Every structure is written in structure tokens, then in C-alpha cells.
Amino acid sequence: MVVLMDHATPNLPSRDFEATFQFYASLGFQARWRDEGWMILTRGSIDLEFFLHPHLDPATSWFSCCLRLEDLDAFYATCLAENIPEATQGVPRTHKPVIDSNGLRMGALIDPDGTLIRLIQNDHE
């Protein structure tokens, strides 16, 4: 018997599926589904679902989600190895992981469409 775990998948905008796929593939995601209006990318247990939004302005995008990661440092290192800069402006970009006021260790990745991906270290305490 297969036991399925509850899970959620964020629905994020993409101005161009091929560009989105190439960006996330460089970070280890693989295509699981794609048609003319929807794309699902997977990396381990993480699923990201994308819908077409060709007129999205990345500078004004308010879309976001959280990735809770077992190894935040390894994922962040992958981002830097793919030449995604640490910066305060522009897309794509990263923000270095820090410990926030709630004690969470968190960084960020802003993708080419302006989506904020919060990168959160799993806490097993």
C-alpha cells in the first residue's frame, strides 16, 4: 500500500516556460509536466507549479513562496555557482542567509520573473 503525505505546491508565474525551465534546471529541478498553460518542476521532494503570465512585470511582482530545506547552505551555494548574484536590486538575485528575529535561518532567491523564493533552513529541534 502506498501512503501519500499531505503536501502543498506553490503556483508561480512564468513569462516564458522555456526560460523558467532553464533557470530552475540550473538549480537541479527537472520537468515533471508541461503543456501550453502549465508546468511542474521537481527537485527531490519540492514541486513548483508554474502558470503562464506573459505580461508580468518582474519589478512589480508580488508572488512568493517558501522552500524549507534540509541543507540551505548547499542550495544557496548552487545558486551562487550558477552566477546568481547577491544583490539588492535586479532579477535574478539572491540574499545571503541570516538568522531572523524569530530565530529562523533564512535567505532568498528572486527568480527572473520577480518571484520571491524564501529559503528556510529546516529546524529539527
Side-chain angles (χ1 to χ4, degrees):
M1 179 170 101
V2 175
V3 177
L4 298 177
M5 304 290 288
D6 290 344
H7 68 281
T9 56
N11 299 162
L12 306 173
S14 169
R15 292 175 294 158
D16 176 292
F17 279 167
E18 187 58 29
T20 298
F21 171 72
Q22 292 300 324
F23 177 78
Y24 282 96
S26 74
L27 301 177
F29 286 83
Q30 297 177 338
R32 193 173 98 204
W33 169 264
R34 183 170 167 181
D35 66 15
E36 58 279 344
W38 204 256
M39 179 172 66
I40 302 172
L41 303 180
T42 301
R43 182 181 191 269
S45 61
I46 299 170
D47 290 331
L48 299 177
E49 299 192 21
F50 294 89
F51 59 92
L52 276 178
H53 193 330
H55 303 294
L56 176 69
D57 176 5
T60 60
S61 176
W62 49 266
F63 292 92
S64 71
C65 73
C66 296
L67 299 186
R68 296 187 181 265
L69 302 164
E70 288 298 311
D71 192 342
L72 170 58
D73 292 327
F75 187 83
Y76 194 77
T78 299
C79 294
L80 296 179
E82 291 301 320
N83 296 314
I84 303 171
E86 287 183 341
T88 57
Q89 296 180 327
V91 295
R93 69 178 186 270
T94 62
H95 296 262
K96 188 174 184 167
V98 297
I99 297 175
D100 75 3
S101 61
N102 295 316
L104 289 175
R105 188 155 179 271
M106 181 168 51
L109 168 66
I110 292 77
D111 80 4
D113 294 304
T115 298
L116 167 62
I117 311 289
R118 292 174 190 87
L119 308 173
I120 301 172
Q121 176 67 50
N122 280 339
D123 185 7
H124 295 286
E125 290 184 29

